[in-house]
Amino acid sequence: MKAAAEWFRSTVFTDEDIRPRPVRKPERIPAMLRTARSLENGTWQQWQSRESVFMKQARLLVNYEDDYDYRGSVKCYYPTYQSLSDQELRGYFTWRTKLRRGEVCQTSRSFAFLYIYELINQIGVEDPMDGYRKLESFRDVYGQIDDGILPYLKQWLVDYVIYYGLDPELLSGSSQVTRDRSIAVLEHIQEQDAAAVIEAVNQLAPNCLDHSRFYADYREDMDAVIARVLRRMSAHYAARCKKTMVEQYFGGCGRYQAHPFNSAVFCDPLKIRNYEYIVDGQCICRCENGVWSVWKRVGPAGSDKKLKDVLKTIDSVMRQAFDYRHPIKAKLDTKWILQIIEEETQALLAEKKAAEEKKITINYAQLTRIRQDAAITREKLIVEEEMDEPPVPQACEPVQPAPPEEPDSPENTPLNREEYRLLQCLLYGEDTGWVQAEGYMLSVLVDGINEKLYDTFLDSVLDDTPQLIEDYIDDLKEMVHP
């Protein structure tokens, strides 16, 4: 055992010299970056916030450009210059240099956010409006490369307009402002026309109506009923309930604490203490002694679902009243709402029926007979008048025979011969193969028939198939004979 231990000690475990670690010479960075790095060091820096150091470095490096071959990747939350290594910092400024020259290329998301932080703190911009345009341009161009920045940037653009006091119309495209303005339309629905109400409904319940087959077929009728029903519902809530219809469906207004540029490295460059910004009547932002708040409407979760249920119930009731071939189940069972919907639907049907009865129909087939009767009457009057006068000798003139009665032809209708012939074939079940054989386009003839007969029927008489609209077949047969 002793011999084995000696062999193991001398053979396996032997003393070796420790190899010296190679000394790597640190890479020298440009003088401007060294100066910026100096702002991070020193005992006095511990009394400064991270945002304060970022602003000092950003102002120093506002026009700095670099050309460094950096191929690494950076993953850093709330990035600042201080949080990047020297190589990463040079890589960022190389990317920013290319970006400012119009060369947009994909990079680490941390670099993209760092560039946004510069703009919202007015670094590298001439004025607030110039900064807004650059933020918008970066959203539109780089957002297509990396859409991960879009949810944050869209909210920060709203905060940017409010903080720097830009024109409120710049916010007209934001989802929150669009929603608030649509709610304002419903809040004053008695003063709004049907078109404004429907536009607001489509904003508050997107895609609800577009998915309805009945709405596609009866858009105008359903728009009219929706506007009437919502007006009556609003009046009912106002008269009999503590909360208005808007408060019931979308909540009430209140003041809430706000944090401009939340989740961003924001240095408050304007040092605002007291300030008020009115977005519209639904949203007002205030800063009092440096504390931000916002007066806005905050609805319950799923508030859009309540409005969608009303729309689907209107859809269901109207399908039943119109005897539509695809019925659906109503979403609401509230009796007074169902009663309003049914009453307005029946009222619309009654109006349509009354308008149909008042419609004047001209029978062109009788015009030829009327003209002939009028000509005969005129001749009789002329003859009687001549019999009362003394006869005057006149030269003999050849007697012209009376013109024969014109047969039914396109001249008795506003149609040309090809349109007349096509309508004849469709009315009496004849073959329409001649249209293509003679070089005509079926769709052109159909459009011509519908256009020329619109003044008579106030509607299209043929669909795109083409098939005759059943309601007008009898009237067309009086106009077009076999």
Side-chain angles (χ1 to χ4, degrees), residues 68 77 211 287 309 317 342:
Y68 182 73
Y77 294 99
H211 292 164
C287 180
D309 288 346
V317 173
E342 290 171 357

Side-chain angles (χ1 to χ4, degrees), residues 61-320:
L61 300 170
V62 60
N63 295 318
Y64 176 72
E65 295 183 350
D66 206 335
D67 185 13
Y68 182 73
D69 185 16
Y70 176 74
R71 302 182 182 180
S73 178
V74 181
K75 188 175 182 180
C76 177
Y77 294 99
Y78 310 105
T80 62
Y81 310 122
Q82 190 175 1
S83 59
L84 303 179
S85 66
D86 292 343
Q87 292 77 21
E88 292 170 347
L89 195 60
R90 294 196 66 184
Y92 167 72
F93 283 112
T94 300
W95 173 78
R96 191 185 74 173
T97 301
K98 294 179 180 178
L99 180 66
R100 288 182 174 179
R101 293 175 180 174
E103 184 181 346
V104 182
C105 52
Q106 188 172 8
T107 186
S108 301
R109 190 173 294 175
S110 299
F111 286 176
F113 278 116
L114 185 54
Y115 176 70
I116 295 172
Y117 297 162
E118 290 180 349
L119 294 180
I120 64 178
N121 288 289
Q122 299 296 281
I123 303 301
V125 303
E126 297 178 0
D127 52 46
M129 194 62 211
D130 180 52
Y132 179 82
R133 293 193 188 98
K134 288 181 177 178
L135 284 170
E136 263 198 329
S137 175
F138 190 69
R139 177 199 64 190
D140 297 338
V141 177
Y142 193 80
Q144 297 180 359
I145 300 175
D146 182 4
D147 58 2
I149 66 171
L150 295 179
Y152 302 93
L153 188 50
K154 286 178 181 178
Q155 180 56 47
W156 292 341
L157 277 168
V158 175
D159 295 341
Y160 188 97
V161 172
I162 295 172
Y163 181 83
Y164 290 105
L166 302 181
D167 188 355
E169 282 302 312
L170 295 173
L171 301 176
S172 59
S174 70
S175 57
Q176 183 63 43
V177 172
T178 301
R179 182 177 183 275
D180 288 343
R181 292 181 179 178
S182 299
I183 292 175
V185 170
L186 298 187
E187 198 169 28
H188 304 90
I189 192 171
Q190 308 299 345
E191 306 161 12
Q192 305 291 335
D193 58 17
V197 174
I198 296 302
E199 183 179 357
V201 166
N202 284 322
Q203 293 291 342
L204 296 170
N207 302 324
C208 180
L209 295 176
D210 293 337
H211 292 164
S212 170
R213 187 181 299 181
F214 178 80
Y215 184 71
D217 293 341
Y218 296 93
R219 180 183 297 268
E220 187 177 345
D221 294 336
M222 195 168 173
D223 283 347
V225 172
I226 289 172
R228 295 178 186 182
V229 168
L230 291 180
R231 287 194 187 100
R232 289 187 59 181
M233 287 177 61
S234 177
H236 178 94
Y237 277 114
R240 302 189 180 186
C241 302
K242 293 181 179 179
K243 294 183 178 180
T244 64
M245 182 183 72
V246 168
E247 291 172 338
Q248 292 275 1
Y249 282 72
F250 306 103
C253 292
R255 178 173 291 188
Y256 302 89
Q257 189 174 3
H259 301 280
F261 301 102
N262 191 28
S263 301
V265 178
F266 180 61
C267 308
D268 193 13
L270 300 183
K271 307 300 178 190
I272 294 176
R273 302 298 298 169
N274 293 284
Y275 176 65
E276 180 179 88
Y277 186 91
I278 300 176
V279 179
D280 51 35
Q282 302 284 322
C283 183
I284 301 174
C285 297
R286 291 190 179 93
C287 180
E288 298 175 349
N289 297 322
V291 179
W292 284 84
S293 63
V294 57
W295 173 269
K296 63 179 181 179
R297 187 182 302 277
V298 177
S303 58
D304 60 334
K305 183 179 181 300
K306 291 184 175 181
L307 181 58
K308 288 181 179 179
D309 288 346
V310 173
L311 297 178
K312 290 179 180 178
T313 303
I314 294 174
D315 192 355
S316 173
V317 173
M318 290 190 69
R319 288 180 188 226
Q320 185 176 0

Side-chain angles (χ1 to χ4, degrees), residues 2-55:
K2 183 177 179 181
E6 288 294 336
W7 173 85
F8 187 80
R9 188 183 301 110
S10 61
T11 304
V12 180
F13 290 101
T14 57
D15 294 335
E16 293 183 1
D17 294 333
I18 299 175
R19 296 178 182 179
R21 182 174 296 177
V23 179
R24 192 170 183 178
K25 206 171 184 180
E27 184 178 345
R28 189 171 181 81
I29 62 175
M32 186 67 75
L33 293 184
R34 291 201 304 273
T35 305
R37 286 297 192 198
S38 68
L39 298 174
E40 305 170 4
N41 305 320
T43 56
W44 58 279
Q45 293 296 342
Q46 61 185 338
W47 305 108
Q48 292 192 98
S49 66
R50 185 165 172 262
E51 289 78 9
S52 178
V53 175
F54 172 71
M55 277 299 283

